[in-house]
Amino acid sequence: MRLPLFGLLASRSPLDGLVDHYEKIHECTEIIKDSLECYVAGGACREFLELAQQIDHIENQADLIKRRIRNHLPRSLFMPVDKTLFLNYTKAQDNILDEAQEAMQWLAMRRVDIPAEFQRKLIELIDDVDSLTDMLGPALKATLGLIYTEHLDRRGTKDQFWAIRKKRDAIFKAKNRLVSEIYSSDMDFKDIYQLIHFVEKLHGMAHNTENCADILRSMIAR
């Protein structure tokens, strides 16, 4: 952490753009979550093409925010955190959405009739990943509050990072069990290949969420 007086030097910190960017990421992942849950359960889902267009629109807005905050960074002297950490965070946060989109693309590639024995486990995995990405928002805001000295709850902020890591570990283990079960099933190999890639992309969302938390922890390291 560098300059707690940053707020006196600029009316709006580029760090605030991280929250704007996160909100767009969150908006997209919510849409994708609903769609994936419907697909996995075999319901009458909205057309993937329509959803893809909606997500592309939101993603464009997220990209605009990312470019805006990257193109308007102040000189390093006036950055409240290391600029490399800042840029790495924007990249990791963007990767969450990239992985979500790829998860959707793997399912949309061709229709897969998912056996009932895997439906519940896939929906639980989707829910867990969605809950994990939800946890990133409060962790980001708590980190910014600490950087801006709006509060001094360093322990509480670190606990949020720890909770993200713990949940991601659980998702990693659940992912491995599910991949093993799918690979050992009697499904057509095309279906197995498609589902395993879908699960791996879900885990990619969790992995990048943990990366974001790790970078936030570095931002407040003494």
Side-chain angles (χ1 to χ4, degrees):
M1 187 173 69
R2 293 184 180 178
L3 297 175
L5 296 178
F6 183 78
L8 301 176
L9 304 175
S11 58
R12 182 174 170 80
S13 164
L15 291 178
D16 293 334
L18 297 181
V19 177
D20 297 338
H21 186 252
Y22 170 80
E23 295 298 338
K24 291 299 176 185
I25 300 295
H26 183 257
E27 193 176 339
C28 275
T29 55
E30 282 296 304
I31 295 172
I32 291 172
K33 168 183 173 288
D34 292 342
S35 175
L36 294 183
E37 283 188 342
C38 180
Y39 183 104
V40 168
C45 312
R46 296 167 60 188
E47 290 293 334
F48 267 71
L49 179 59
E50 177 189 346
L51 287 168
Q53 290 173 343
Q54 186 176 351
I55 290 168
D56 285 346
H57 175 68
I58 299 173
E59 187 196 24
N60 287 336
Q61 293 177 324
D63 283 342
L64 287 174
I65 294 171
K66 183 176 68 176
R67 285 198 294 273
R68 185 191 74 208
I69 58 181
R70 286 187 171 188
N71 293 337
H72 293 84
L73 292 180
R75 293 180 179 180
S76 59
L77 176 63
F78 300 111
M79 282 292 288
V81 300
D82 182 89
K83 187 180 290 186
T84 300
L85 288 176
F86 178 84
L87 294 175
N88 287 343
Y89 182 85
T90 60
K91 177 62 178 173
Q93 191 164 262
D94 213 45
N95 286 344
I96 298 171
L97 180 56
D98 290 342
E99 296 284 357
Q101 285 183 298
E102 289 192 41
M104 194 169 169
Q105 287 166 2
W106 272 105
L107 277 194
M109 201 171 293
R110 52 187 280 279
R111 179 69 201 180
V112 177
D113 292 324
I114 300 174
E117 63 184 294
F118 297 134
Q119 289 182 9
R120 180 179 58 79
K121 293 178 180 178
L122 283 168
I123 290 174
E124 287 176 353
L125 184 64
I126 292 170
D127 283 342
D128 284 342
V129 172
D130 183 64
S131 296
L132 182 66
T133 58
D134 283 349
M135 293 164 66
L136 181 60
L140 171 60
K141 292 173 183 175
T143 302
L144 298 184
L146 196 57
I147 291 172
Y148 292 150
T149 63
E150 294 172 351
H151 68 80
L152 299 175
D153 188 10
R154 182 178 295 272
R155 182 68 266 166
T157 304
K158 287 184 175 180
D159 284 347
Q160 295 191 55
F161 304 148
W162 179 83
I164 288 174
R165 168 170 285 189
K166 183 179 179 183
K167 190 165 186 65
R168 187 264 173 176
D169 285 344
I171 290 172
F172 177 71
K173 292 173 182 173
K175 182 269 294 185
N176 286 342
R177 288 194 298 271
L178 188 53
V179 166
S180 177
E181 292 174 15
I182 292 173
Y183 193 77
S184 303
S185 73
D186 295 328
M187 297 171 63
D188 181 87
F189 187 74
K190 282 185 180 178
D191 293 343
I192 291 175
Y193 188 84
Q194 201 169 337
L195 271 190
I196 286 179
H197 275 80
F198 168 64
V199 171
E200 292 289 354
K201 290 303 174 184
L202 289 179
H203 175 253
M205 293 174 65
H207 176 69
N208 279 288
T209 301
E210 185 186 32
N211 283 345
C212 286
D214 287 343
I215 297 170
L216 291 177
R217 183 166 53 237
S218 298
M219 286 182 182
I220 62 170
R222 293 186 187 280

